[in-house]
Each structure stands twice: as structure tokens, then as C-alpha cells.
Amino acid sequence: MDRSLYFSHSRTPDLSDLSSNACYEAWVAYRAAHDDGIDLSVSNPTVCGLPQIDPDVEALRAAISAHYTASSQGLIVAREAVAAYYGGRANPDAIQLFASTSEAVGALLKLLCAPGDSVVTCTPTYPLLDCLTTLEGVELRETSLQDCAGEWMIDFWALEQVCDSTTRAIIVVSPNNPTGHCIRFDEMAKLVEFCASRSMALIVDEVFGGYRLRDDGELMPEAASTYFNAAGCGLVVSLSGLSKVCGLPQHKLGWGVFGGDPGVVSEAMQRMSYITDSTLSVSGWVQRMAPSLLARRGEFSLPCLERCRTNLAIIREMSNKIGVKWRLDRVDGGWSACLRLPGWCDDESIATRIAEAGVRVFPGSFFGYRDRQPTLVVSLIVEHDTMRKGMERVMQVIDVEV
């Protein structure tokens, strides 16, 4: 029996493509031999010593034991809570609930694309989208953000070149993971016009929207879809969820706020209900708890935001020391910082050497940084002592390797 025949048409990668990389293997080897490893790549907010929002026990018991009500769009009590999170700018009837933003992207690909169609994203960015599009049988095309003296900008000329008659959507992340780039309001307006003129949807992942690290009134506020909600705006969908808003990745609730041309939005919501009605994946209890969880989001988000700002200041202080061989890229928001290395470096090799010294960081190449942009990516949500000790080791390795 040839077992490969069972999977010859699978959209999952070949098993040889699922093997671990050198950076990870070096980190595992160090952890097996030492107990002082420092993980500067962690993105799980529940393991970083940040305050956790514990649901009220009685309210949770009531939510779990409540009668089941099937709703393809999501319970109105939860959708109204999401609308309130956006200051009432979002219409609850134009909000769709999902179990996660990843599920939301998968559903939107089903809504917009046939197998073989394409969507476009801007790199560097988190590599999950490649997995999601592959599983839906959709081609992912990438175009690079333009690096203008340390400030990232959307390259509209490059977008023009990569889009064609099969392109159904542009997917952007703002604040971006890991670059920290936030789209400016005028940039977003141009992006909306670009998509609408080609009958393409614009999907904006805003999970880090509440974590702005730089004051700039020209940056696009959350939710982008509520600011472009008129005839001629096509379809604009803003995504977010409890994972980052409340630091609760274990309580699976995400959402999409649909905006744009009212006629397009109305049809999109009806078609989306057909998709979500086939799975009804969002638990009833988390929908019923959404109002209280979102109302208490500051218990997590404010300390998290302060930690990110303080850790960014620690990195900035170190980057300003004489003789430092890397520079800190500008960060508008999010949970990551990027350290730019000299252009001749191999960031994966250096990240592997850093892992051998007991610190885990990500090489920028994992996120789509090009060869001439060698970069290391570190998390901003780790504890301050962890950040300082870890960065001191990173500096020591870079001093030797670069």
C-alpha cells in the first residue's frame, strides 16, 4: 500500500517541509542542557506575568448553563459589546463573530475567492497568511512594504504590478506584526480607493490596534471599516478579537466589522451567514461573557501597553550606546520590535548563534524581510528584567558575530 496516495491531493505541506529549523533546534538543545534560557520571542500573553482577566464565576456559570441559541452571525449581546468597544462607530448588524481572526480570514477567503484566485499582502508580515491561503486553495501574492529612511509605507506601484483579474482582496495588518508599521489615514483612503476601483475587498487585521506606541494623529484609528462606510467604498473588513484586546487567546472569540458600500456590505453579510451557519464555531458562553470581558479589557491592555513602552525604551537605550552594531527600527504599535543588522549579515545564522547562547529571537527572514534587510525580531511583552538580561546576551553575540 502506498500511503502517499491518500494525501497526493492534500493542501497541507509535504512532511519534509514541516521539519524544524536551525534556530529552533539550537534553542531546544540549549534548554535541554541549561535552565537559564531567555525567550525573547514569546507572544503568548498568559505566560508573561501580565494581569489576567478572570471571569466572574457566577456570570460564567450562568453563561455556560444558558439555553443554546444558534446564531450564524453571532449573538446580538456580543455584537453590541464589540460595537461599544469601537465607541459605537460600528453597527452591530454589520459585525460577524468568529472563533478567531484566523478563522475569519479563512471564511473571508471562502466568501471572496474560488480555488485558484489570488489575494495580495504586504511583507514583512506574520507568515500565517501563507498557511491560510494554501488551505483554501488560494494563491497568496506578496509585495514588499517600502522602507523609506526607517519608515514603512505601502508601495502602490508594486501593488499595481502584482494585482490582476484573479485578485479578490488585499490583506494588510495594522499595526503590522512584526514591523510595528501603522497605516496612515491618507494611505488607507488611497488603499480603499485602489481596491474599490478594482472590485477587490480590503481586509485589515487590527488585532494590535489598541497598542499604539507612538503618538501620531495621522495614523489610522480602529476600526478602519467604520471610517470608509459609504457608496463607492467597496468592501472593507476590520478584524480583531479577545486574544490581543483582552489577552485571552484561550477564550476563542474574534470578529469582523464590515464596512464600505452599503449594498456590498448587505450582500456580504448574507453570504457570510451561509458560511458561518455551516459550522457555528463560536461557543455560546464566550459570546454571553463578551460584554463583561470587553468592559474589563483595561485590566490587561493598560499594563500590557505600559510594558511594551517600557521594553521599547530599554531597547532604545541599548541601541543608543556607542559601538552598537544594530539599530532599532521605528515602531508605531504592536508587541514586537525589530533590530536591523548590517546589510551583509545572515539573520538566520545570527539568530541561531544567539539561540546557542541561550536566547531565543526570530530572524526577520521568517517574516519576509529580504536578504538586504537582515533583522532580528524580539517580543515587547516579556518582563522587563527578562528583556534587559536577554538583550545584553544578544548584544554580546552580535559584537562577536557582526
PDB file of all heavy atoms in Angstrom, residues 239-270:
ATOM      1  N   LEU A 239     -10.653  43.305  11.328  1.00  0.00           N
ATOM      2  CA  LEU A 239     -10.632  42.105  12.161  1.00  0.00           C
ATOM      3  C   LEU A 239      -9.945  42.381  13.495  1.00  0.00           C
ATOM      4  O   LEU A 239      -8.959  43.110  13.563  1.00  0.00           O
ATOM      5  CB  LEU A 239      -9.886  40.978  11.446  1.00  0.00           C
ATOM      6  CG  LEU A 239     -10.374  40.576  10.057  1.00  0.00           C
ATOM      7  CD1 LEU A 239      -9.500  39.455   9.502  1.00  0.00           C
ATOM      8  CD2 LEU A 239     -11.832  40.158  10.083  1.00  0.00           C
ATOM      9  N   SER A 240     -10.466  41.758  14.544  1.00  0.00           N
ATOM     10  CA  SER A 240      -9.807  41.808  15.856  1.00  0.00           C
ATOM     11  C   SER A 240     -10.395  40.701  16.716  1.00  0.00           C
ATOM     12  O   SER A 240     -11.175  39.872  16.232  1.00  0.00           O
ATOM     13  CB  SER A 240      -9.980  43.186  16.509  1.00  0.00           C
ATOM     14  OG  SER A 240      -9.125  43.298  17.631  1.00  0.00           O
ATOM     15  N   GLY A 241     -10.013  40.662  18.005  1.00  0.00           N
ATOM     16  CA  GLY A 241     -10.537  39.619  18.868  1.00  0.00           C
ATOM     17  C   GLY A 241     -10.007  39.699  20.286  1.00  0.00           C
ATOM     18  O   GLY A 241      -9.129  40.507  20.599  1.00  0.00           O
ATOM     19  N   LEU A 242     -10.546  38.837  21.142  1.00  0.00           N
ATOM     20  CA  LEU A 242     -10.188  38.835  22.558  1.00  0.00           C
ATOM     21  C   LEU A 242      -8.728  38.472  22.793  1.00  0.00           C
ATOM     22  O   LEU A 242      -8.147  38.846  23.810  1.00  0.00           O
ATOM     23  CB  LEU A 242     -11.062  37.837  23.329  1.00  0.00           C
ATOM     24  CG  LEU A 242     -12.552  38.133  23.485  1.00  0.00           C
ATOM     25  CD1 LEU A 242     -13.184  37.093  24.400  1.00  0.00           C
ATOM     26  CD2 LEU A 242     -12.797  39.539  24.015  1.00  0.00           C
ATOM     27  N   SER A 243      -8.126  37.745  21.872  1.00  0.00           N
ATOM     28  CA  SER A 243      -6.756  37.267  22.066  1.00  0.00           C
ATOM     29  C   SER A 243      -5.808  38.389  22.427  1.00  0.00           C
ATOM     30  O   SER A 243      -5.025  38.275  23.381  1.00  0.00           O
ATOM     31  CB  SER A 243      -6.270  36.561  20.793  1.00  0.00           C
ATOM     32  OG  SER A 243      -4.926  36.167  20.912  1.00  0.00           O
ATOM     33  N   LYS A 244      -5.870  39.506  21.691  1.00  0.00           N
ATOM     34  CA  LYS A 244      -4.978  40.636  21.956  1.00  0.00           C
ATOM     35  C   LYS A 244      -5.690  41.747  22.732  1.00  0.00           C
ATOM     36  O   LYS A 244      -5.078  42.392  23.579  1.00  0.00           O
ATOM     37  CB  LYS A 244      -4.440  41.201  20.637  1.00  0.00           C
ATOM     38  CG  LYS A 244      -3.737  40.176  19.762  1.00  0.00           C
ATOM     39  CD  LYS A 244      -2.553  39.548  20.453  1.00  0.00           C
ATOM     40  CE  LYS A 244      -1.731  38.657  19.531  1.00  0.00           C
ATOM     41  NZ  LYS A 244      -2.473  37.499  19.011  1.00  0.00           N
ATOM     42  N   VAL A 245      -6.959  41.969  22.459  1.00  0.00           N
ATOM     43  CA  VAL A 245      -7.685  43.054  23.130  1.00  0.00           C
ATOM     44  C   VAL A 245      -7.730  42.826  24.641  1.00  0.00           C
ATOM     45  O   VAL A 245      -7.535  43.749  25.438  1.00  0.00           O
ATOM     46  CB  VAL A 245      -9.112  43.191  22.562  1.00  0.00           C
ATOM     47  CG1 VAL A 245      -9.933  44.179  23.383  1.00  0.00           C
ATOM     48  CG2 VAL A 245      -9.065  43.646  21.106  1.00  0.00           C
ATOM     49  N   CYS A 246      -7.983  41.569  25.037  1.00  0.00           N
ATOM     50  CA  CYS A 246      -8.100  41.251  26.461  1.00  0.00           C
ATOM     51  C   CYS A 246      -7.020  40.292  26.951  1.00  0.00           C
ATOM     52  O   CYS A 246      -7.039  39.898  28.127  1.00  0.00           O
ATOM     53  CB  CYS A 246      -9.472  40.630  26.744  1.00  0.00           C
ATOM     54  SG  CYS A 246     -10.869  41.745  26.496  1.00  0.00           S
ATOM     55  N   GLY A 247      -6.097  39.899  26.074  1.00  0.00           N
ATOM     56  CA  GLY A 247      -5.067  38.952  26.475  1.00  0.00           C
ATOM     57  C   GLY A 247      -5.630  37.584  26.796  1.00  0.00           C
ATOM     58  O   GLY A 247      -5.124  36.889  27.684  1.00  0.00           O
ATOM     59  N   LEU A 248      -6.655  37.176  26.023  1.00  0.00           N
ATOM     60  CA  LEU A 248      -7.348  35.918  26.299  1.00  0.00           C
ATOM     61  C   LEU A 248      -7.384  35.021  25.063  1.00  0.00           C
ATOM     62  O   LEU A 248      -8.451  34.740  24.515  1.00  0.00           O
ATOM     63  CB  LEU A 248      -8.783  36.203  26.780  1.00  0.00           C
ATOM     64  CG  LEU A 248      -8.927  36.953  28.101  1.00  0.00           C
ATOM     65  CD1 LEU A 248     -10.375  37.333  28.342  1.00  0.00           C
ATOM     66  CD2 LEU A 248      -8.390  36.096  29.254  1.00  0.00           C
ATOM     67  N   PRO A 249      -6.216  34.527  24.617  1.00  0.00           N
ATOM     68  CA  PRO A 249      -6.217  33.658  23.437  1.00  0.00           C
ATOM     69  C   PRO A 249      -6.939  32.341  23.670  1.00  0.00           C
ATOM     70  O   PRO A 249      -7.351  31.677  22.715  1.00  0.00           O
ATOM     71  CB  PRO A 249      -4.724  33.440  23.157  1.00  0.00           C
ATOM     72  CG  PRO A 249      -4.056  33.660  24.479  1.00  0.00           C
ATOM     73  CD  PRO A 249      -4.854  34.737  25.150  1.00  0.00           C
ATOM     74  N   GLN A 250      -7.087  31.947  24.938  1.00  0.00           N
ATOM     75  CA  GLN A 250      -7.753  30.685  25.241  1.00  0.00           C
ATOM     76  C   GLN A 250      -9.274  30.794  25.168  1.00  0.00           C
ATOM     77  O   GLN A 250      -9.965  29.771  25.088  1.00  0.00           O
ATOM     78  CB  GLN A 250      -7.329  30.185  26.626  1.00  0.00           C
ATOM     79  CG  GLN A 250      -7.854  30.998  27.808  1.00  0.00           C
ATOM     80  CD  GLN A 250      -6.992  32.190  28.163  1.00  0.00           C
ATOM     81  OE1 GLN A 250      -6.449  32.850  27.295  1.00  0.00           O
ATOM     82  NE2 GLN A 250      -6.865  32.463  29.459  1.00  0.00           N
ATOM     83  N   HIS A 251      -9.812  31.985  25.195  1.00  0.00           N
ATOM     84  CA  HIS A 251     -11.260  32.199  25.077  1.00  0.00           C
ATOM     85  C   HIS A 251     -11.534  32.630  23.637  1.00  0.00           C
ATOM     86  O   HIS A 251     -11.397  33.808  23.299  1.00  0.00           O
ATOM     87  CB  HIS A 251     -11.740  33.267  26.061  1.00  0.00           C
ATOM     88  CG  HIS A 251     -11.501  32.923  27.500  1.00  0.00           C
ATOM     89  ND1 HIS A 251     -11.460  31.631  27.961  1.00  0.00           N
ATOM     90  CD2 HIS A 251     -11.288  33.697  28.598  1.00  0.00           C
ATOM     91  CE1 HIS A 251     -11.239  31.619  29.263  1.00  0.00           C
ATOM     92  NE2 HIS A 251     -11.119  32.858  29.679  1.00  0.00           N
ATOM     93  N   LYS A 252     -11.901  31.682  22.818  1.00  0.00           N
ATOM     94  CA  LYS A 252     -11.871  31.874  21.378  1.00  0.00           C
ATOM     95  C   LYS A 252     -13.027  32.749  20.899  1.00  0.00           C
ATOM     96  O   LYS A 252     -14.156  32.285  20.710  1.00  0.00           O
ATOM     97  CB  LYS A 252     -11.906  30.523  20.666  1.00  0.00           C
ATOM     98  CG  LYS A 252     -10.845  29.533  21.114  1.00  0.00           C
ATOM     99  CD  LYS A 252      -9.437  30.103  21.000  1.00  0.00           C
ATOM    100  CE  LYS A 252      -9.019  30.315  19.566  1.00  0.00           C
ATOM    101  NZ  LYS A 252      -7.626  30.795  19.462  1.00  0.00           N
ATOM    102  N   LEU A 253     -12.713  34.028  20.682  1.00  0.00           N
ATOM    103  CA  LEU A 253     -13.707  34.944  20.121  1.00  0.00           C
ATOM    104  C   LEU A 253     -13.000  36.024  19.315  1.00  0.00           C
ATOM    105  O   LEU A 253     -12.181  36.779  19.843  1.00  0.00           O
ATOM    106  CB  LEU A 253     -14.545  35.601  21.222  1.00  0.00           C
ATOM    107  CG  LEU A 253     -15.642  36.556  20.702  1.00  0.00           C
ATOM    108  CD1 LEU A 253     -16.670  35.807  19.873  1.00  0.00           C
ATOM    109  CD2 LEU A 253     -16.310  37.302  21.845  1.00  0.00           C
ATOM    110  N   GLY A 254     -13.307  36.065  18.036  1.00  0.00           N
ATOM    111  CA  GLY A 254     -12.837  37.129  17.162  1.00  0.00           C
ATOM    112  C   GLY A 254     -14.019  37.736  16.443  1.00  0.00           C
ATOM    113  O   GLY A 254     -15.156  37.274  16.580  1.00  0.00           O
ATOM    114  N   TRP A 255     -13.754  38.775  15.669  1.00  0.00           N
ATOM    115  CA  TRP A 255     -14.860  39.416  14.957  1.00  0.00           C
ATOM    116  C   TRP A 255     -14.361  40.147  13.726  1.00  0.00           C
ATOM    117  O   TRP A 255     -13.186  40.476  13.595  1.00  0.00           O
ATOM    118  CB  TRP A 255     -15.603  40.393  15.859  1.00  0.00           C
ATOM    119  CG  TRP A 255     -14.734  41.439  16.507  1.00  0.00           C
ATOM    120  CD1 TRP A 255     -14.263  42.600  15.956  1.00  0.00           C
ATOM    121  CD2 TRP A 255     -14.222  41.421  17.853  1.00  0.00           C
ATOM    122  NE1 TRP A 255     -13.504  43.302  16.860  1.00  0.00           N
ATOM    123  CE2 TRP A 255     -13.460  42.606  18.029  1.00  0.00           C
ATOM    124  CE3 TRP A 255     -14.341  40.521  18.915  1.00  0.00           C
ATOM    125  CZ2 TRP A 255     -12.828  42.899  19.224  1.00  0.00           C
ATOM    126  CZ3 TRP A 255     -13.707  40.816  20.100  1.00  0.00           C
ATOM    127  CH2 TRP A 255     -12.959  41.996  20.251  1.00  0.00           C
ATOM    128  N   GLY A 256     -15.309  40.379  12.831  1.00  0.00           N
ATOM    129  CA  GLY A 256     -15.069  41.208  11.665  1.00  0.00           C
ATOM    130  C   GLY A 256     -16.111  42.301  11.613  1.00  0.00           C
ATOM    131  O   GLY A 256     -17.312  42.035  11.779  1.00  0.00           O
ATOM    132  N   VAL A 257     -15.668  43.533  11.428  1.00  0.00           N
ATOM    133  CA  VAL A 257     -16.565  44.673  11.266  1.00  0.00           C
ATOM    134  C   VAL A 257     -16.593  45.010   9.777  1.00  0.00           C
ATOM    135  O   VAL A 257     -15.570  45.372   9.197  1.00  0.00           O
ATOM    136  CB  VAL A 257     -16.097  45.886  12.091  1.00  0.00           C
ATOM    137  CG1 VAL A 257     -17.067  47.050  11.914  1.00  0.00           C
ATOM    138  CG2 VAL A 257     -15.965  45.519  13.567  1.00  0.00           C
ATOM    139  N   PHE A 258     -17.761  44.876   9.163  1.00  0.00           N
ATOM    140  CA  PHE A 258     -17.900  45.062   7.730  1.00  0.00           C
ATOM    141  C   PHE A 258     -18.303  46.501   7.418  1.00  0.00           C
ATOM    142  O   PHE A 258     -19.239  47.041   8.021  1.00  0.00           O
ATOM    143  CB  PHE A 258     -18.955  44.102   7.163  1.00  0.00           C
ATOM    144  CG  PHE A 258     -18.496  42.677   7.060  1.00  0.00           C
ATOM    145  CD1 PHE A 258     -18.183  41.938   8.199  1.00  0.00           C
ATOM    146  CD2 PHE A 258     -18.366  42.062   5.832  1.00  0.00           C
ATOM    147  CE1 PHE A 258     -17.755  40.628   8.118  1.00  0.00           C
ATOM    148  CE2 PHE A 258     -17.942  40.741   5.719  1.00  0.00           C
ATOM    149  CZ  PHE A 258     -17.631  40.027   6.869  1.00  0.00           C
ATOM    150  N   GLY A 259     -17.581  47.109   6.495  1.00  0.00           N
ATOM    151  CA  GLY A 259     -17.883  48.466   6.067  1.00  0.00           C
ATOM    152  C   GLY A 259     -17.708  48.585   4.573  1.00  0.00           C
ATOM    153  O   GLY A 259     -17.340  47.636   3.881  1.00  0.00           O
ATOM    154  N   GLY A 260     -17.958  49.786   4.075  1.00  0.00           N
ATOM    155  CA  GLY A 260     -17.849  50.026   2.644  1.00  0.00           C
ATOM    156  C   GLY A 260     -19.182  50.436   2.057  1.00  0.00           C
ATOM    157  O   GLY A 260     -20.015  51.062   2.721  1.00  0.00           O
ATOM    158  N   ASP A 261     -19.416  50.076   0.821  1.00  0.00           N
ATOM    159  CA  ASP A 261     -20.670  50.396   0.142  1.00  0.00           C
ATOM    160  C   ASP A 261     -21.809  49.607   0.791  1.00  0.00           C
ATOM    161  O   ASP A 261     -21.723  48.376   0.926  1.00  0.00           O
ATOM    162  CB  ASP A 261     -20.557  50.025  -1.335  1.00  0.00           C
ATOM    163  CG  ASP A 261     -21.774  50.455  -2.127  1.00  0.00           C
ATOM    164  OD1 ASP A 261     -22.826  49.793  -2.016  1.00  0.00           O
ATOM    165  OD2 ASP A 261     -21.670  51.469  -2.851  1.00  0.00           O
ATOM    166  N   PRO A 262     -22.889  50.270   1.241  1.00  0.00           N
ATOM    167  CA  PRO A 262     -23.960  49.572   1.968  1.00  0.00           C
ATOM    168  C   PRO A 262     -24.527  48.373   1.220  1.00  0.00           C
ATOM    169  O   PRO A 262     -24.819  47.333   1.829  1.00  0.00           O
ATOM    170  CB  PRO A 262     -25.017  50.664   2.165  1.00  0.00           C
ATOM    171  CG  PRO A 262     -24.244  51.943   2.163  1.00  0.00           C
ATOM    172  CD  PRO A 262     -23.134  51.733   1.180  1.00  0.00           C
ATOM    173  N   GLY A 263     -24.701  48.482  -0.102  1.00  0.00           N
ATOM    174  CA  GLY A 263     -25.227  47.367  -0.867  1.00  0.00           C
ATOM    175  C   GLY A 263     -24.283  46.173  -0.871  1.00  0.00           C
ATOM    176  O   GLY A 263     -24.712  45.017  -0.737  1.00  0.00           O
ATOM    177  N   VAL A 264     -22.994  46.445  -1.006  1.00  0.00           N
ATOM    178  CA  VAL A 264     -21.996  45.375  -0.990  1.00  0.00           C
ATOM    179  C   VAL A 264     -21.932  44.738   0.398  1.00  0.00           C
ATOM    180  O   VAL A 264     -21.858  43.512   0.531  1.00  0.00           O
ATOM    181  CB  VAL A 264     -20.615  45.916  -1.402  1.00  0.00           C
ATOM    182  CG1 VAL A 264     -19.561  44.814  -1.330  1.00  0.00           C
ATOM    183  CG2 VAL A 264     -20.665  46.500  -2.807  1.00  0.00           C
ATOM    184  N   VAL A 265     -21.984  45.571   1.430  1.00  0.00           N
ATOM    185  CA  VAL A 265     -21.933  45.062   2.800  1.00  0.00           C
ATOM    186  C   VAL A 265     -23.132  44.167   3.082  1.00  0.00           C
ATOM    187  O   VAL A 265     -22.998  43.087   3.664  1.00  0.00           O
ATOM    188  CB  VAL A 265     -21.883  46.225   3.812  1.00  0.00           C
ATOM    189  CG1 VAL A 265     -22.064  45.706   5.243  1.00  0.00           C
ATOM    190  CG2 VAL A 265     -20.567  46.978   3.692  1.00  0.00           C
ATOM    191  N   SER A 266     -24.316  44.577   2.661  1.00  0.00           N
ATOM    192  CA  SER A 266     -25.528  43.795   2.905  1.00  0.00           C
ATOM    193  C   SER A 266     -25.412  42.404   2.277  1.00  0.00           C
ATOM    194  O   SER A 266     -25.712  41.389   2.918  1.00  0.00           O
ATOM    195  CB  SER A 266     -26.749  44.524   2.338  1.00  0.00           C
ATOM    196  OG  SER A 266     -27.921  43.737   2.497  1.00  0.00           O
ATOM    197  N   GLU A 267     -24.954  42.358   1.037  1.00  0.00           N
ATOM    198  CA  GLU A 267     -24.825  41.054   0.388  1.00  0.00           C
ATOM    199  C   GLU A 267     -23.713  40.230   1.031  1.00  0.00           C
ATOM    200  O   GLU A 267     -23.849  39.005   1.191  1.00  0.00           O
ATOM    201  CB  GLU A 267     -24.554  41.221  -1.105  1.00  0.00           C
ATOM    202  CG  GLU A 267     -24.435  39.887  -1.836  1.00  0.00           C
ATOM    203  CD  GLU A 267     -24.445  40.006  -3.343  1.00  0.00           C
ATOM    204  OE1 GLU A 267     -24.788  41.097  -3.858  1.00  0.00           O
ATOM    205  OE2 GLU A 267     -24.115  39.004  -4.015  1.00  0.00           O
ATOM    206  N   ALA A 268     -22.623  40.881   1.409  1.00  0.00           N
ATOM    207  CA  ALA A 268     -21.520  40.161   2.055  1.00  0.00           C
ATOM    208  C   ALA A 268     -21.974  39.516   3.358  1.00  0.00           C
ATOM    209  O   ALA A 268     -21.621  38.357   3.652  1.00  0.00           O
ATOM    210  CB  ALA A 268     -20.352  41.110   2.316  1.00  0.00           C
ATOM    211  N   MET A 269     -22.761  40.245   4.162  1.00  0.00           N
ATOM    212  CA  MET A 269     -23.227  39.707   5.434  1.00  0.00           C
ATOM    213  C   MET A 269     -24.136  38.499   5.216  1.00  0.00           C
ATOM    214  O   MET A 269     -24.062  37.504   5.944  1.00  0.00           O
ATOM    215  CB  MET A 269     -23.959  40.779   6.235  1.00  0.00           C
ATOM    216  CG  MET A 269     -23.104  41.966   6.657  1.00  0.00           C
ATOM    217  SD  MET A 269     -21.668  41.524   7.653  1.00  0.00           S
ATOM    218  CE  MET A 269     -22.429  40.766   9.086  1.00  0.00           C
ATOM    219  N   GLN A 270     -25.005  38.570   4.217  1.00  0.00           N
ATOM    220  CA  GLN A 270     -25.907  37.447   3.940  1.00  0.00           C
ATOM    221  C   GLN A 270     -25.124  36.215   3.483  1.00  0.00           C
ATOM    222  O   GLN A 270     -25.394  35.091   3.915  1.00  0.00           O
ATOM    223  CB  GLN A 270     -26.919  37.847   2.877  1.00  0.00           C
ATOM    224  CG  GLN A 270     -27.894  38.929   3.338  1.00  0.00           C
ATOM    225  CD  GLN A 270     -28.826  39.363   2.233  1.00  0.00           C
ATOM    226  OE1 GLN A 270     -29.679  38.596   1.789  1.00  0.00           O
ATOM    227  NE2 GLN A 270     -28.669  40.598   1.772  1.00  0.00           N
TER     228      GLN A 270
END
